[in-house]
Coordinates of all heavy atoms in Angstrom, one line a residue:
G11 N 25.7 -41.4 39.0 CA 24.3 -40.9 38.7 C 23.5 -42.0 38.0 O 22.5 -42.3 38.3
V12 N 24.2 -42.6 37.0 CA 23.6 -43.5 36.1 C 23.2 -44.8 36.9 O 22.2 -45.4 36.9 CB 24.3 -44.0 34.8 CG1 23.7 -45.0 34.1 CG2 24.5 -42.7 34.0
H13 N 24.2 -45.2 37.8 CA 24.0 -46.4 38.6 C 22.9 -46.1 39.5 O 22.1 -47.2 39.8 CB 25.3 -46.7 39.3 CG 25.2 -47.8 40.3 ND1 25.0 -49.1 39.8 CD2 25.3 -48.0 41.6 CE1 24.9 -50.0 40.8 NE2 25.0 -49.3 42.1
T14 N 22.7 -45.1 40.2 CA 21.6 -44.8 41.0 C 20.3 -45.0 40.4 O 19.3 -45.5 40.8 CB 21.7 -43.3 41.7 OG1 23.1 -43.2 42.3 CG2 20.7 -43.2 42.7
C15 N 20.3 -44.3 39.1 CA 18.8 -44.4 38.4 C 18.7 -45.8 37.9 O 17.4 -46.2 38.1 CB 19.1 -43.5 37.1 SG 19.2 -41.8 37.4
T16 N 19.6 -46.5 37.5 CA 19.3 -47.9 37.0 C 19.1 -48.8 38.2 O 18.4 -49.9 38.1 CB 20.5 -48.5 36.3 OG1 21.6 -48.4 37.0 CG2 20.7 -47.7 34.9
T17 N 19.4 -48.4 39.4 CA 19.0 -49.3 40.6 C 17.6 -49.0 41.0 O 16.9 -49.9 41.4 CB 20.0 -49.0 41.7 OG1 21.4 -49.3 41.2 CG2 19.8 -49.8 42.9
L18 N 17.2 -47.7 41.0 CA 16.0 -47.4 41.5 C 14.7 -47.7 40.5 O 13.7 -47.9 41.1 CB 16.0 -45.8 41.7 CG 16.5 -45.5 43.1 CD1 16.7 -43.9 43.2 CD2 15.7 -45.9 44.2
V19 N 15.1 -47.9 39.2 CA 14.0 -48.2 38.4 C 13.4 -49.6 38.8 O 12.2 -49.8 39.0 CB 14.4 -48.2 36.9 CG1 13.4 -48.9 36.0 CG2 14.6 -46.7 36.5
P20 N 14.3 -50.6 38.9 CA 13.8 -52.0 39.4 C 13.2 -51.9 40.7 O 12.2 -52.7 41.1 CB 14.9 -52.9 39.3 CG 16.1 -52.2 38.9 CD 15.7 -50.8 38.6
I21 N 13.7 -51.0 41.7 CA 13.2 -51.1 43.1 C 11.8 -50.4 43.0 O 10.9 -51.0 43.6 CB 14.2 -50.2 44.0 CG1 15.4 -50.9 44.2 CG2 13.3 -49.8 45.3 CD1 16.4 -50.0 44.9
L22 N 11.5 -49.4 42.3 CA 10.3 -48.8 42.2 C 9.2 -49.7 41.5 O 8.1 -50.0 41.9 CB 10.3 -47.4 41.5 CG 11.0 -46.4 42.3 CD1 11.1 -45.0 41.4 CD2 10.3 -46.0 43.6
G23 N 9.8 -50.4 40.4 CA 8.9 -51.3 39.7 C 8.5 -52.6 40.5 O 7.4 -53.0 40.3
S24 N 9.4 -52.9 41.3 CA 9.1 -54.1 42.0 C 7.9 -54.0 43.0 O 7.2 -54.9 43.1 CB 10.4 -54.6 42.9 OG 10.6 -53.7 44.0
F25 N 7.8 -52.8 43.7 CA 6.7 -52.8 44.5 C 5.5 -52.2 43.9 O 4.4 -52.3 44.3 CB 7.0 -52.1 45.9 CG 7.5 -50.6 45.8 CD1 6.5 -49.6 45.7 CD2 8.8 -50.4 46.0 CE1 6.9 -48.4 45.7 CE2 9.3 -49.1 45.9 CZ 8.4 -48.1 45.8
W26 N 5.7 -51.5 42.8 CA 4.4 -51.0 42.2 C 3.8 -52.1 41.1 O 2.6 -52.1 41.0 CB 4.8 -49.8 41.3 CG 4.7 -48.5 42.1 CD1 5.7 -47.8 42.5 CD2 3.5 -47.9 42.6 NE1 5.3 -46.7 43.3 CE2 3.9 -46.8 43.4 CE3 2.2 -48.1 42.4 CZ2 3.0 -45.9 43.9 CZ3 1.2 -47.3 43.2 CH2 1.7 -46.3 43.8
L27 N 4.6 -53.0 40.6 CA 4.2 -54.0 39.8 C 4.0 -55.4 40.3 O 3.4 -56.3 39.6 CB 5.2 -54.1 38.5 CG 5.2 -52.8 37.7 CD1 6.4 -53.0 36.6 CD2 3.9 -52.3 37.0
S28 N 4.4 -55.5 41.4 CA 4.2 -56.9 42.1 C 2.8 -57.1 42.6 O 2.2 -56.2 43.0 CB 5.4 -57.1 43.2 OG 5.1 -56.3 44.3
H29 N 2.4 -58.2 42.6 CA 1.1 -58.7 43.2 C 1.3 -58.8 44.6 O 2.2 -59.5 45.1 CB 0.4 -59.8 42.5 CG 0.3 -59.7 41.0 ND1 -0.6 -58.8 40.4 CD2 1.0 -60.2 39.9 CE1 -0.6 -58.8 39.1 NE2 0.5 -59.7 38.8
D30 N 0.3 -58.4 45.4 CA 0.4 -58.5 46.8 C 0.4 -60.0 47.3 O 0.9 -60.3 48.4 CB -0.6 -57.6 47.5 CG -0.5 -56.3 47.2 OD1 0.7 -55.8 47.1 OD2 -1.5 -55.4 47.4
K31 N -0.3 -60.8 46.6 CA -0.4 -62.2 47.0 C 0.9 -63.0 46.9 O 1.0 -64.1 47.5 CB -1.5 -62.9 46.2 CG -2.9 -62.3 46.5 CD -3.9 -62.9 45.5 CE -5.3 -62.2 45.8 NZ -6.2 -62.6 44.9
E32 N 1.9 -62.5 46.1 CA 3.3 -63.1 45.8 C 3.9 -63.3 47.2 O 4.7 -64.1 47.3 CB 3.9 -62.5 44.8 CG 3.4 -62.7 43.5 CD 4.3 -62.0 42.4 OE1 5.4 -61.6 42.6 OE2 3.8 -61.7 41.3
F33 N 3.9 -62.2 48.0 CA 4.7 -62.2 49.0 C 3.8 -62.0 50.4 O 3.4 -60.9 50.8 CB 5.7 -60.9 49.0 CG 6.5 -60.9 47.8 CD1 6.2 -60.0 46.8 CD2 7.5 -61.8 47.7 CE1 7.0 -60.0 45.6 CE2 8.4 -61.6 46.6 CZ 8.1 -60.9 45.5
D34 N 3.6 -63.2 51.0 CA 2.7 -63.1 52.2 C 3.4 -62.4 53.3 O 4.5 -62.6 53.7 CB 2.5 -64.7 52.6 CG 1.6 -65.5 51.6 OD1 0.8 -64.8 50.9 OD2 1.7 -66.6 51.6
G35 N 2.6 -61.5 53.9 CA 3.1 -60.6 55.0 C 3.8 -59.5 54.6 O 4.2 -58.6 55.4
Y36 N 4.1 -59.3 53.3 CA 4.8 -58.2 52.7 C 4.1 -57.4 51.8 O 4.7 -56.7 51.1 CB 6.2 -58.6 52.0 CG 7.2 -59.3 53.1 CD1 7.3 -60.6 53.1 CD2 7.8 -58.4 54.0 CE1 8.2 -61.3 54.0 CE2 8.7 -59.1 54.8 CZ 9.0 -60.4 54.9 OH 9.7 -61.1 55.7
S37 N 2.7 -57.4 51.9 CA 2.0 -56.6 50.9 C 1.9 -55.2 51.5 O 2.0 -54.8 52.5 CB 0.5 -57.1 50.9 OG -0.1 -57.1 52.1
L38 N 2.0 -54.2 50.4 CA 1.9 -52.8 50.7 C 0.7 -52.2 50.2 O 0.1 -52.5 49.1 CB 3.2 -52.1 49.9 CG 4.5 -52.6 50.4 CD1 5.5 -51.9 49.3 CD2 4.9 -52.1 51.7
S39 N 0.1 -51.3 51.0 CA -1.0 -50.5 50.5 C -0.6 -49.5 49.5 O 0.5 -49.2 49.4 CB -1.7 -49.9 51.8 OG -0.9 -48.8 52.3
T40 N -1.7 -48.9 48.9 CA -1.3 -48.0 47.8 C -0.7 -46.8 48.6 O 0.2 -46.1 48.1 CB -2.5 -47.4 47.2 OG1 -3.1 -48.6 46.6 CG2 -2.3 -46.5 46.1
K41 N -1.2 -46.4 49.8 CA -0.5 -45.3 50.5 C 0.8 -45.6 50.9 O 1.8 -44.6 50.7 CB -1.4 -45.1 51.8 CG -0.8 -43.9 52.7 CD -1.6 -43.7 53.9 CE -1.1 -42.5 54.6 NZ -1.7 -42.4 56.1
E42 N 1.2 -46.8 51.3 CA 2.6 -47.1 51.5 C 3.5 -47.1 50.2 O 4.7 -46.5 50.3 CB 2.7 -48.4 52.0 CG 2.2 -48.5 53.5 CD 2.0 -49.9 54.1 OE1 1.8 -50.9 53.2 OE2 2.2 -50.1 55.3
K43 N 2.9 -47.4 49.1 CA 3.6 -47.3 47.9 C 3.9 -45.8 47.5 O 5.0 -45.5 47.0 CB 2.9 -48.1 46.7 CG 2.9 -49.6 47.0 CD 2.0 -50.3 45.9 CE 1.9 -51.8 46.1 NZ 1.0 -52.4 45.0
V44 N 2.9 -45.1 47.6 CA 3.1 -43.6 47.4 C 4.2 -43.0 48.2 O 4.9 -42.3 47.8 CB 1.7 -42.9 47.4 CG1 1.9 -41.4 47.4 CG2 0.7 -43.3 46.3
N45 N 4.1 -43.3 49.6 CA 5.1 -42.8 50.5 C 6.6 -43.2 50.2 O 7.5 -42.5 50.1 CB 4.8 -43.3 51.9 CG 3.5 -42.5 52.5 OD1 3.2 -41.5 52.0 ND2 3.0 -43.0 53.5
L46 N 6.6 -44.5 49.7 CA 8.0 -45.0 49.4 C 8.4 -44.4 48.0 O 9.6 -44.0 47.9 CB 8.0 -46.5 49.2 CG 8.1 -47.4 50.4 CD1 7.8 -48.9 50.1 CD2 9.4 -47.2 51.1
T47 N 7.5 -44.2 47.2 CA 8.0 -43.4 46.0 C 8.4 -42.0 46.1 O 9.3 -41.5 45.6 CB 6.7 -43.5 44.9 OG1 6.4 -44.8 44.7 CG2 7.1 -42.9 43.6
A48 N 7.6 -41.4 47.1 CA 8.0 -40.0 47.5 C 9.4 -39.9 48.1 O 10.0 -39.0 47.9 CB 6.9 -39.4 48.4
L49 N 9.7 -40.9 48.8 CA 11.0 -41.0 49.4 C 12.1 -41.4 48.5 O 13.1 -40.7 48.6 CB 11.0 -42.1 50.6 CG 12.2 -42.4 51.3 CD1 12.5 -41.2 52.2 CD2 12.1 -43.6 51.9
Y50 N 11.9 -42.2 47.6 CA 12.9 -42.6 46.6 C 13.1 -41.7 45.4 O 14.0 -41.6 44.7 CB 12.6 -44.0 46.1 CG 12.9 -45.0 47.0 CD1 12.0 -46.1 47.3 CD2 14.3 -45.3 47.6 CE1 12.4 -47.1 48.1 CE2 14.6 -46.2 48.4 CZ 13.7 -47.2 48.7 OH 14.0 -48.2 49.5
I51 N 12.1 -40.9 45.0 CA 12.0 -40.2 43.7 C 13.1 -39.2 43.6 O 13.7 -39.0 42.6 CB 10.7 -39.5 43.4 CG1 10.5 -39.4 41.9 CG2 10.3 -38.3 44.1 CD1 10.3 -40.6 41.2
P52 N 13.5 -38.4 44.7 CA 14.6 -37.5 44.5 C 15.9 -38.2 44.3 O 16.7 -37.7 43.6 CB 14.7 -36.9 46.0 CG 13.4 -37.0 46.6 CD 12.9 -38.4 46.0
Y53 N 16.0 -39.5 44.7 CA 17.3 -40.2 44.4 C 17.3 -40.8 43.0 O 18.3 -41.3 42.6 CB 17.5 -41.4 45.4 CG 17.8 -40.9 46.8 CD1 16.5 -40.9 47.7 CD2 19.0 -40.6 47.2 CE1 16.7 -40.5 49.0 CE2 19.1 -40.1 48.5 CZ 18.0 -40.1 49.4 OH 18.2 -39.7 50.7
L54 N 16.2 -40.6 42.3 CA 16.0 -41.0 40.9 C 16.2 -39.7 40.1 O 17.0 -39.7 39.1 CB 14.7 -41.7 40.6 CG 14.5 -41.9 39.1 CD1 15.3 -43.0 38.7 CD2 13.0 -42.3 39.0
I55 N 15.5 -38.7 40.4 CA 15.5 -37.4 39.5 C 16.9 -36.7 39.7 O 17.4 -36.2 38.6 CB 14.4 -36.5 40.0 CG1 13.1 -37.2 39.6 CG2 14.5 -35.2 39.4 CD1 11.9 -36.5 40.1
I56 N 17.4 -36.4 40.8 CA 18.7 -35.6 41.0 C 19.8 -36.2 40.2 O 20.5 -35.5 39.4 CB 18.9 -35.2 42.4 CG1 17.8 -34.4 42.9 CG2 20.3 -34.6 42.6 CD1 17.9 -34.0 44.4
P57 N 20.2 -37.5 40.4 CA 21.2 -38.2 39.7 C 21.0 -38.1 38.2 O 21.9 -37.9 37.3 CB 21.4 -39.5 40.2 CG 20.8 -39.4 41.6 CD 19.7 -38.5 41.5
F58 N 19.8 -38.2 37.7 CA 19.4 -38.4 36.3 C 19.6 -36.8 35.7 O 20.2 -36.8 34.6 CB 17.9 -38.8 36.1 CG 17.5 -38.7 34.7 CD1 17.8 -39.7 33.9 CD2 16.7 -37.6 34.3 CE1 17.5 -39.5 32.5 CE2 16.3 -37.5 32.9 CZ 16.7 -38.5 32.0
L59 N 19.3 -35.9 36.5 CA 19.5 -34.5 36.0 C 20.9 -34.1 35.9 O 21.5 -33.5 34.9 CB 18.9 -33.5 36.9 CG 17.3 -33.5 36.8 CD1 16.8 -32.5 37.9 CD2 16.8 -33.2 35.5
L60 N 21.8 -34.7 36.9 CA 23.2 -34.6 36.8 C 23.8 -35.2 35.5 O 24.7 -34.6 34.9 CB 23.9 -35.1 38.1 CG 23.7 -34.3 39.3 CD1 24.2 -35.0 40.5 CD2 24.4 -32.9 39.1
V61 N 23.3 -36.4 35.2 CA 23.8 -37.2 34.0 C 23.5 -36.5 32.8 O 24.4 -36.3 31.9 CB 23.3 -38.6 34.0 CG1 23.5 -39.2 32.7 CG2 23.8 -39.3 35.2
V62 N 22.1 -36.0 32.7 CA 21.7 -35.1 31.6 C 22.7 -33.9 31.3 O 23.1 -33.5 30.2 CB 20.3 -34.8 31.6 CG1 19.9 -33.7 30.6 CG2 19.5 -36.1 31.5
K63 N 22.9 -33.2 32.4 CA 23.8 -31.9 32.4 C 25.2 -32.3 31.8 O 25.9 -31.7 31.3 CB 23.8 -31.3 33.6 CG 24.6 -30.0 33.7 CD 24.4 -29.2 34.9 CE 25.2 -27.9 34.8 NZ 25.0 -27.1 36.1
A64 N 25.8 -33.6 32.3 CA 27.1 -33.8 32.0 C 27.2 -34.5 30.7 O 28.4 -34.5 30.1 CB 27.7 -34.8 33.1
L65 N 26.3 -35.0 30.1 CA 26.4 -35.7 28.8 C 26.9 -34.9 27.7 O 27.8 -35.4 26.9 CB 25.0 -36.3 28.4 CG 24.7 -37.7 29.0 CD1 23.3 -38.1 28.5 CD2 25.7 -38.8 28.5
P66 N 26.6 -33.7 27.5 CA 27.1 -33.0 26.3 C 28.6 -32.6 26.4 O 29.2 -32.2 25.4 CB 26.3 -31.7 26.3 CG 25.3 -31.8 27.3 CD 25.5 -32.9 28.2
H67 N 29.2 -32.8 27.6 CA 30.7 -32.4 27.7 C 31.5 -33.6 27.6 O 31.2 -34.7 28.3 CB 30.8 -31.7 29.1 CG 29.9 -30.5 29.3 ND1 30.1 -29.3 28.6 CD2 28.8 -30.5 30.0 CE1 29.1 -28.5 29.0 NE2 28.4 -29.2 30.0
E68 N 32.5 -33.4 26.9 CA 33.6 -34.5 26.7 C 34.2 -34.8 28.2 O 34.4 -36.0 28.5 CB 34.6 -34.2 25.8 CG 35.5 -35.4 25.4 CD 36.3 -35.0 24.2 OE1 35.9 -34.5 23.2 OE2 37.6 -35.4 24.5
D69 N 34.6 -33.8 28.8 CA 35.3 -34.0 30.1 C 34.6 -32.9 31.1 O 34.9 -31.8 31.2 CB 36.7 -33.6 30.0 CG 37.5 -33.9 31.4 OD1 36.8 -34.6 32.2 OD2 38.6 -33.6 31.5
P70 N 33.4 -33.4 31.8 CA 32.8 -32.4 32.6 C 33.4 -31.8 33.8 O 33.0 -30.9 34.3 CB 31.4 -33.3 32.9 CG 31.9 -34.7 32.8 CD 32.9 -34.7 31.8
F71 N 34.5 -32.5 34.2 CA 35.2 -32.0 35.3 C 36.6 -31.4 35.0 O 37.3 -31.1 35.9 CB 35.5 -33.2 36.3 CG 34.3 -34.0 36.7 CD1 34.0 -35.2 36.1 CD2 33.3 -33.4 37.6 CE1 32.8 -35.9 36.5 CE2 32.2 -34.0 37.9 CZ 32.0 -35.2 37.5
S72 N 36.7 -31.0 33.8 CA 38.1 -30.4 33.3 C 38.2 -29.1 33.9 O 39.4 -28.7 34.4 CB 38.1 -30.3 31.8 OG 37.1 -29.4 31.4
R73 N 37.3 -28.3 34.1 CA 37.3 -27.0 34.8 C 37.8 -27.1 36.2 O 38.6 -26.4 36.7 CB 35.9 -26.2 34.7 CG 36.0 -24.8 34.3 CD 34.7 -24.2 34.2 NE 33.7 -24.9 34.9 CZ 32.4 -24.3 35.2 NH1 32.2 -23.1 34.8 NH2 31.6 -25.0 35.9
L74 N 37.2 -28.1 36.9 CA 37.7 -28.3 38.3 C 39.0 -28.7 38.4 O 39.7 -28.3 39.3 CB 36.6 -29.4 39.0 CG 35.1 -28.9 39.1 CD1 34.3 -30.1 39.6 CD2 34.9 -27.7 40.0
S75 N 39.4 -29.7 37.6 CA 40.8 -30.1 37.6 C 41.9 -29.0 37.3 O 42.9 -29.0 37.8 CB 41.0 -31.5 36.8 OG 40.6 -31.2 35.4
A76 N 41.5 -28.1 36.3 CA 42.4 -27.1 35.9 C 42.4 -26.0 37.1 O 43.4 -25.6 37.5 CB 41.8 -26.4 34.8
A77 N 41.4 -25.9 37.8 CA 41.4 -24.9 39.0 C 42.2 -25.5 40.0 O 42.9 -24.9 40.7 CB 39.9 -24.6 39.5
A78 N 42.1 -26.8 40.3 CA 42.9 -27.5 41.3 C 44.4 -27.4 41.1 O 45.2 -27.2 41.9 CB 42.4 -28.9 41.5
A79 N 44.7 -27.6 39.8 CA 46.1 -27.6 39.4 C 46.6 -26.1 39.5 O 47.8 -26.0 40.1 CB 46.3 -28.0 37.9
T80 N 45.9 -25.1 39.2 CA 46.4 -23.7 39.4 C 46.5 -23.4 40.9 O 47.5 -22.8 41.2 CB 45.3 -22.8 38.8 OG1 45.1 -23.2 37.4 CG2 45.8 -21.4 38.8
K81 N 45.7 -23.9 41.6 CA 45.8 -23.6 43.2 C 47.0 -24.2 43.7 O 47.6 -23.7 44.6 CB 44.5 -24.2 43.8 CG 44.4 -23.8 45.3 CD 43.1 -24.2 45.9 CE 43.0 -23.8 47.4 NZ 41.8 -24.2 48.0
K82 N 47.3 -25.5 43.2 CA 48.5 -26.3 43.7 C 49.7 -25.5 43.3 O 50.7 -25.4 44.1 CB 48.3 -27.7 43.1 CG 49.3 -28.7 43.9 CD 49.2 -30.1 43.2 CE 47.9 -30.7 43.6 NZ 48.0 -32.2 43.2
K83 N 49.7 -25.1 42.1 CA 50.9 -24.3 41.6 C 51.1 -23.0 42.4 O 52.3 -22.8 42.8 CB 50.7 -23.8 40.2 CG 50.9 -25.1 39.2 CD 50.9 -24.6 37.8 CE 50.8 -25.8 36.8 NZ 50.7 -25.3 35.4
S84 N 50.1 -22.3 42.8 CA 50.2 -21.1 43.6 C 50.6 -21.4 45.0 O 51.5 -20.7 45.5 CB 48.9 -20.3 43.5 OG 48.0 -20.9 44.2
L85 N 50.2 -22.5 45.5 CA 50.7 -23.0 46.9 C 52.2 -23.3 47.1 O 52.8 -23.0 47.8 CB 49.8 -24.1 47.4 CG 48.4 -23.8 47.7 CD1 47.7 -25.1 48.1 CD2 48.4 -22.8 48.9
R86 N 52.6 -24.0 45.8 CA 54.0 -24.3 45.7 C 54.9 -23.0 45.6 O 56.0 -23.0 46.3 CB 54.3 -25.1 44.5 CG 53.7 -26.6 44.6 CD 54.1 -27.4 43.4 NE 53.4 -28.7 43.5 CZ 53.3 -29.6 42.4 NH1 53.8 -29.1 41.2 NH2 52.6 -30.5 42.5
K87 N 54.5 -22.0 44.9 CA 55.2 -20.8 44.8 C 55.3 -20.1 46.2 O 56.4 -19.6 46.5 CB 54.7 -19.9 43.7 CG 54.8 -20.3 42.2 CD 54.2 -19.4 41.3 CE 54.3 -20.0 39.9 NZ 53.7 -19.1 39.0
K88 N 54.2 -20.1 46.9 CA 54.2 -19.4 48.2 C 55.1 -20.2 49.1 O 55.8 -19.6 50.1 CB 52.8 -19.5 48.8 CG 51.9 -18.3 48.0 CD 50.6 -18.4 48.6 CE 49.7 -17.6 48.1 NZ 48.3 -17.5 48.6
T89 N 55.4 -21.5 49.2 CA 56.0 -22.2 50.0 C 57.7 -22.1 49.6 O 58.5 -22.5 50.5 CB 55.8 -23.7 50.1 OG1 55.9 -24.3 48.8 CG2 54.3 -23.8 50.7
K90 N 58.0 -21.7 48.5 CA 59.4 -21.7 48.1 C 59.9 -20.4 48.5 O 59.8 -19.4 48.8 CB 59.6 -21.8 46.6 CG 59.2 -23.1 46.2 CD 59.5 -23.4 44.7 CE 59.2 -24.9 44.2 NZ 59.6 -25.0 42.9

């Protein structure tokens, strides 16, 4: 999640803050910039929200790993 957010910040900044004259033939109109931002923004917001939700927990996946271990034990008992 954090890697996705830190990657998208420079991507979004590069086309919003760059001057169109720097890259001949690659200038973006404001409409194109808005469309690209609309396309990329979910990839920024959703991983960020997942990180914010996981931060207060020391081991955010402990419940899942405990459930998997319990399921594995019950499968072993059935096969014996």
Side-chain angles (χ1 to χ4, degrees):
V12 174
H13 177 68
T14 305
C15 293
T16 57
T17 302
L18 278 169
V19 168
I21 289 172
L22 292 171
S24 69
F25 61 80
W26 276 105
L27 300 175
S28 67
H29 301 291
D30 293 336
K31 295 176 185 172
E32 289 179 16
F33 306 104
D34 292 333
Y36 295 102
S37 62
L38 296 171
S39 68
T40 303
K41 182 181 178 184
E42 292 171 328
K43 290 178 183 182
V44 169
N45 286 340
L46 280 172
T47 302
L49 178 73
Y50 282 129
I51 206 73
Y53 295 98
L54 177 69
I55 293 174
I56 293 171
F58 179 74
L59 292 175
L60 289 171
V61 169
V62 168
K63 186 174 180 176
L65 274 176
H67 305 288
E68 186 174 319
D69 187 8
F71 303 108
S72 62
R73 225 177 22 167
L74 295 175
S75 59
T80 305
K81 186 175 181 179
K82 196 180 280 187
K83 284 180 187 178
S84 68
L85 288 174
R86 284 183 193 161
K87 288 180 183 179
K88 288 181 182 179
T89 58
K90 288 183 180 182

